[in-house]
Amino acid sequence: DAKTTQPPSMDCAEGRAANLPCNHSTISGNEYVYWYRQIHSQGPQYIIHGLKNNETNEMASLIITEDRKSSTLILPHATLRDTAVYYCIVTIDDKIIFGKGTRLHILP
Amino acid sequence: GAVVSQHPSRVICKSGTSVKIECRSLDFQATTMFWYRQFPKQSLMLMATSNEGSKATYEQGVEKDKFLINHASLTLSTLTVTSAHPEDSSFYICSARGGTGWYKETQYFGPGTRLLVL
């Protein structure tokens, strides 16, 4: 079973920031938090990952709480093409195990 | 980001035949490759992990004699579905790991292969 908990679905207006939460209360000190997304009928796409510090790349920002028990993925300006299932993952035995993720709907 | 390809993208075969799916890491050497399966409206399920030159490690409940995995080089892994049956129809996705530095443990996924067994 996945080590993370995410809301099953969220809506976000186009052009606004999408904030996707994730709980990982059992994370160990040396385990990374990974975010992937899967657009319909495609393979998962890597978004970002982090350990302790907040991270930012061209796709998104990752905010990790100080106790590392939760994180938030931020898509700064959501577009219709960001409609997908977003997976927050803490690896299990160095493997990516997918939970159910959050289905993000971008509303025009 | 790193690129992983799969071939074919979709395949239709008759029940009882075998189907081979290729997974290639195009711009990096993949020390470890993974195979997943996804049924409609479900999440991805890990089937097996393979390291180059070693036998694959299968997840509980996955038949190793039915799903043959070969990871003969650092850029190629193959999944062969032997004696395929309609219940094997699914979306098969591979991933590869083998980056460097900050991306050392990151898995990059292929586009997937849709298998339909008639």
Side-chain angles (χ1 to χ4, degrees):
Chain A
D1 290 345
K3 294 169 66 173
T4 60
T5 305
Q6 299 177 253
S9 67
M10 291 184 63
D11 292 339
C12 178
E14 189 177 16
R16 304 297 294 269
N19 297 277
L20 291 89
C22 177
N23 287 322
H24 32 79
S25 58
T26 62
I27 192 170
S28 299
N30 60 348
E31 291 176 328
Y32 291 81
V33 179
Y34 287 86
W35 282 84
Y36 288 83
R37 71 181 182 184
Q38 186 178 28
I39 296 170
H40 184 61
S41 296
Q42 298 181 23
Q45 178 188 21
Y46 166 78
I47 301 173
I48 199 167
H49 72 284
L51 183 62
K52 296 180 182 178
N53 300 321
N54 298 336
E55 301 290 339
T56 295
N57 63 20
E58 64 278 6
M59 287 184 68
S61 294
L62 175 60
I63 308 298
I64 302 175
T65 58
E66 194 169 341
D67 64 6
R68 301 188 71 239
K69 293 185 176 181
S70 65
S71 61
T72 300
L73 179 74
I74 301 172
L75 307 178
H77 304 287
T79 71
L80 295 176
R81 288 181 293 182
D82 293 321
T83 294
V85 179
Y86 287 76
Y87 296 97
C88 169
I89 296 165
V90 174
T91 58
I92 300 174
D93 295 330
D94 293 330
K95 294 177 283 191
I96 298 286
I97 304 299
F98 288 87
K100 296 183 178 180
T102 295
R103 186 170 296 277
L104 177 65
H105 300 277
I106 305 300
L107 307 175
Chain B
V3 180
V4 177
S5 70
Q6 280 184 244
H7 177 80
S9 58
R10 58 180 64 227
V11 57
I12 301 173
C13 70
K14 292 182 178 179
S15 185
T17 61
S18 295
V19 174
K20 180 184 284 189
I21 302 170
E22 291 187 351
C23 175
R24 295 181 185 273
S25 56
L26 299 185
D27 52 2
F28 67 103
Q29 293 186 323
T31 52
T32 307
M33 286 185 166
F34 305 83
W35 287 94
Y36 294 79
R37 180 169 55 179
Q38 185 176 33
F39 293 108
K41 299 189 185 300
Q42 295 185 21
S43 191
L44 285 80
M45 184 193 78
L46 178 64
M47 299 174 68
T49 303
S50 71
N51 293 297
E52 186 260 341
S54 303
K55 287 185 178 180
T57 302
Y58 291 81
E59 295 298 305
Q60 193 171 11
V62 178
E63 301 175 58
K64 63 179 181 181
D65 294 329
K66 180 166 188 62
F67 299 100
L68 302 180
I69 293 171
N70 185 282
H71 190 168
S73 78
L74 287 173
T75 59
L76 173 65
S77 176
T78 60
L79 168 69
T80 301
V81 183
T82 62
S83 186
H85 291 285
E87 57 266 30
D88 298 321
S89 298
S90 189
F91 191 45
Y92 291 87
I93 306 165
C94 72
S95 73
R97 185 175 72 197
T100 57
W102 179 244
Y103 299 95
K104 182 179 178 183
E105 301 299 324
T106 301
Q107 286 181 223
Y108 297 95
F109 288 81
T113 296
R114 195 162 298 281
L115 170 64
L116 177 61
V117 184
L118 301 176

